[in-house]
Amino acid sequence: RALKTTVLPDGGHAGRSPSDGLALLYDLLVLDDALSQRGRPAPEEMSRAIDRLFAALKVFALADGRLPAMQGGDEGASADVRHALAEDDSDAPVRDRLEVSGYHRMQAGALQVFVDAGAPARGEWSAAAAAQPLALEIIVSGRRLITNVGWTDRCHATHALRLIDGASTASLGDASAGEPLRGFRAEQL
């Protein structure tokens, strides 16, 4: 039941982290395989979620084989992305955007640009949200030219990396587009 809210209609993860989407895809693939070995069909919603996650992964897989480091996620290992994509048996073309998730991918020749044009996750999904409007990553000939720091709640770095200083992003002056909660309020949340 939680998959209906966790996996967005375009295949993005509700927390907006590309690496969280890949992790969930791997979990669901293992569960699907376990059910298959037991002779049980996967629930219909799980199969739909897997298909949507695969479609989003195709958008997120950048020319260097890794993921964009955005919204609380890291680049991940290219082997993890490659192995997940090898499990996809659909022949659906790679889209150029995930409208609900707010991500856009543009490519021309050796140049690839990936832009986060969506609002940070809200509510229970906002634990790793970043206030980095129009964050982008640029890859040229399979090598990252411009990238984000990829703040994650698993690292012990400052929350300042979740703001505009931690990303290649649009800003007006030196003002941040938001600020993570700190102290008592953050602990209570």
Side-chain angles (χ1 to χ4, degrees):
R1 291 178 293 204
L3 288 175
K4 289 181 181 180
T5 57
T6 305
V7 180
L8 301 175
D10 62 7
H13 188 280
R16 299 202 62 246
S17 165
S19 59
D20 285 351
L22 177 60
L24 178 58
L25 176 60
Y26 266 116
D27 290 345
L28 294 177
L29 289 173
V30 168
L31 182 57
D32 185 53
D33 185 52
L35 288 170
S36 176
Q37 289 180 25
R38 304 267 310 167
R40 297 195 170 160
E44 190 175 319
E45 187 59 40
M46 187 175 98
S47 296
R48 281 195 300 267
I50 288 172
D51 291 343
R52 292 192 315 260
L53 286 164
F54 270 132
L57 181 59
K58 289 178 182 180
V59 175
F60 289 135
L62 300 178
D64 67 352
R66 297 178 295 166
L67 303 172
M70 296 182 172
Q71 296 296 330
D74 58 21
E75 300 168 336
S78 59
D80 292 341
V81 175
R82 186 174 56 253
H83 290 139
L85 289 172
E87 293 293 319
D88 183 20
D89 57 3
S90 75
D91 56 356
V94 178
R95 296 178 289 178
D96 59 357
R97 68 182 171 271
L98 298 173
E99 291 187 27
V100 177
S101 299
Y103 289 110
H104 300 265
R105 173 180 159 152
M106 298 160 276
Q107 189 158 344
L111 177 67
Q112 186 178 58
V113 178
F114 193 87
V115 180
D116 177 356
R122 302 212 182 275
E124 60 193 20
W125 296 108
S126 67
Q132 299 168 337
L134 298 178
L136 60 95
E137 297 209 0
I138 299 176
I139 293 96
V140 178
S141 298
R143 300 181 79 185
R144 292 186 186 225
L145 178 65
I146 298 175
T147 189
N148 292 307
V149 296
W151 181 90
T152 171
D153 57 355
R154 294 180 299 277
C155 74
H156 299 290
T158 175
H159 285 279
L161 295 178
R162 295 168 72 181
L163 305 175
I164 60 170
D165 292 341
S168 300
T169 186
S171 66
L172 296 174
D174 290 329
S176 181
E179 180 107 10
L181 289 177
R182 297 177 194 185
F184 177 77
R185 290 173 59 196
E187 289 171 15
Q188 294 305 306
L189 181 62

